[in-house]
Each structure stands twice: as C-alpha cells, then as structure tokens.
Amino acid sequence: MQAYRQAIAEGADALECDVRLTRDGHLVCVHDRRIDRTSNGTGTVSEFDLATLGQLDFAAWKDERSIHAGEDQLVEGVEGRAASGQPAPVLTLETLLQEVLAAPRRVRLLIETKHPTRYAGQVEKQLVRLLRRYGLADPRTEQTSVVTVMSFSELALRRVRQRAPRLPTVLLIQRPAPWRASGRLPRGVAIAGPGVRLLRGRPDFVRRVQAHGHPVYAWTVNNQNDLDLALSFDVAGVITDRPADVLEGIGHLG
C-alpha cells in the first residue's frame, strides 16, 4: 500500500495490480503463484485462506539490495516504488480499490488476473462481483471506467466481457501468437498490452495492432531509452516501476 500511495503522490494516472484467489474466495494482490519470494511464508496462494495469509509478512523480501515495486502502476499508466523496512500483511483487492476511490483526484485501477490457476473462471467471477458491489462493473462508457481488466489469457478476458461487457480490457502480449500476427485482437478487446521487448523486436506487429485501431499500453518501461521507444509508438499508456522518473522524462520532451 505504501508503494501505491507513493505512486499516487508522484502523479500516476492509474495503479496496476495482479490478483489471485485465496482458498476462501478472496482476491489478493500477489504477483507470483507462490508466496515464497514475496513473503516469509511458503506455498501457493490458492492453498491459503485470507486469515492465514494475513498473518504473514509480505514486506519481508525487501532489503537494501532489492528495493523495487512488487506491483505496476500506470502513467496513463505508471508504477511506484515499494517502500521497505515495515512489515506488511497481504493486500486485498478490495482494500486497494477503496484506496483508489478515496484518492484526492481521479485515479484508475488496472487489474491483471493471473492464470493458470486451479480456480480458473472463479477469478473473473469474483472480480466482477466485487466491482459490482462498488458500482464499478457497468460504467457508462469504457472511457469513463475507473477499472480496466488485463490478462495474458484471452479466455479470462472473454469471461469478463460476458459478465461486464462495458468494462475495458487489455490483452497482455509477451510474444504474439501466430493467429495474432495480423494485429487483430480478440473480439471485444480494445487495448493491446505488449512488453517493451516486443516493441523493440517486433515493431511491425505493434504498428499492425495500432493500424486496426487498438490503443497500446507498453510495459515495463523503466529507463529513458525504453521511454523514448514507447513514445515513438505514440502509446496510450506506459507501465513502469518509476512514475516520477517517467513523468519527468515525458515533461522534458514537452
């Protein structure tokens, strides 16, 4: 939460989180399938109930050699640095959502559902159910939506569209599947999310995506060279661990 608050303070337009489902059906903001790397526990997220995860320290992994964000923030999309030195319980999506809604200015939330998982479609089901409780599952338009859902899984995004057709969705792309070489995205998915390596290695693909009218959110952009590359594509969003640095870099370019 400290990292997210810092990202808001540094001017991020949105925050990004990765969510997984606990054994008792709660969505928690944990990137890895296992908790070994980012907590003082061991095992997979799906094996634990929320109360047990709440007893672990999810700041234990940070030290002087490893201070970086565990989650992404968007500057029209951007990521914040994680603070270190304080124990931290697992962060639930609901708690983060409340923080976003209480922010002193409009801040969006990009939620990545992680797959594969033993709970499959339950992740998207619980996500839409939570958003509906807060009146966020049926925005008037995609442009006015507070929440955007992202995934590397086309099936996951299809599940979201079936339950909440007006929520904007982003297909994250590490390498394009052969059937996506034309640059067309799945029906109902408007935004492409290529990694910065894909921008560098397959600029032709990214241009084709844009030629089909799809905005692009590029990840993870953490240095000036990558920022220059992303901006040369006129991307709609930049996902980074360093919102202040990226905003400064954009400002220097006018």
Side-chain angles (χ1 to χ4, degrees):
M1 185 62 82
Q2 289 174 307
Y4 285 121
R5 287 171 177 162
Q6 183 174 337
I8 293 172
E10 290 183 358
D13 298 298
L15 309 178
E16 190 268 353
C17 65
D18 306 293
V19 295
R20 294 184 179 275
L21 202 61
T22 65
R23 187 176 64 187
D24 53 343
H26 293 274
L27 288 165
V28 291
C29 300
V30 180
H31 176 278
D32 296 0
R33 174 177 171 270
R34 297 185 61 86
I35 63 172
D36 305 48
R37 183 178 67 89
T38 55
S39 81
N40 59 348
T42 183
T44 61
V45 174
S46 59
E47 294 174 342
F48 294 90
D49 58 29
L50 181 60
T52 304
L53 285 178
Q55 296 172 7
L56 301 175
D57 179 10
F58 277 80
W61 61 276
K62 304 188 188 82
D63 59 32
E64 293 302 319
R65 297 162 297 170
S66 176
I67 300 176
H68 58 83
E71 304 295 344
D72 299 337
Q73 330 300 321
L74 187 78
V75 169
E76 204 28 40
V78 189
E79 289 182 48
R81 298 182 195 85
S84 65
Q86 295 296 326
V90 69
L91 179 62
T92 66
L93 177 60
E94 184 167 13
T95 298
L96 179 58
L97 185 60
Q98 291 170 348
E99 189 77 14
V100 166
L101 294 175
R105 57 183 174 81
R106 185 177 186 271
V107 176
R108 294 166 51 215
L109 181 61
L110 276 70
I111 303 170
E112 179 187 345
T113 63
K114 305 295 287 187
H115 290 279
T117 171
R118 71 176 67 185
Y119 298 125
Q122 288 298 312
V123 177
E124 287 74 35
K125 180 179 180 180
Q126 294 299 329
L127 172 58
V128 173
R129 180 179 294 174
L130 175 62
L131 296 178
R132 189 154 280 127
R133 277 176 41 208
Y134 283 85
L136 298 173
D138 301 293
R140 185 169 53 84
T141 66
E142 290 191 2
Q143 290 70 31
T144 60
S145 181
V146 172
V147 172
T148 296
V149 181
M150 309 195 300
S151 185
F152 285 96
S153 167
E154 295 185 21
L155 178 57
L157 297 181
R158 194 178 310 139
R159 294 182 187 121
V160 172
R161 299 297 293 193
Q162 289 171 346
R163 294 179 178 276
R166 289 201 294 270
L167 278 179
T169 52
V170 179
L171 178 63
L172 298 171
I173 307 168
Q174 193 161 30
R175 60 181 65 88
W179 57 90
R180 295 290 169 217
S182 69
R184 292 187 181 276
L185 298 185
R187 186 171 61 182
V189 176
I191 305 167
V196 71
R197 291 183 181 178
L198 188 56
L199 268 67
R200 188 180 299 110
R202 290 288 305 277
D204 56 323
F205 170 75
V206 179
R207 294 297 188 195
R208 283 197 292 271
V209 166
Q210 292 177 314
H212 284 295
H214 300 299
V216 167
Y217 288 169
W219 54 271
T220 301
V221 179
N222 281 343
N223 60 60
Q224 190 63 45
N225 288 338
D226 286 347
L227 178 59
D228 292 342
L229 174 64
L231 296 179
S232 73
F233 282 90
D234 195 25
V235 298
V238 175
I239 298 175
T240 177
D241 295 318
R242 303 181 176 94
D245 295 344
V246 166
L247 286 167
E248 182 180 4
I250 293 173
H252 285 165
L253 297 173

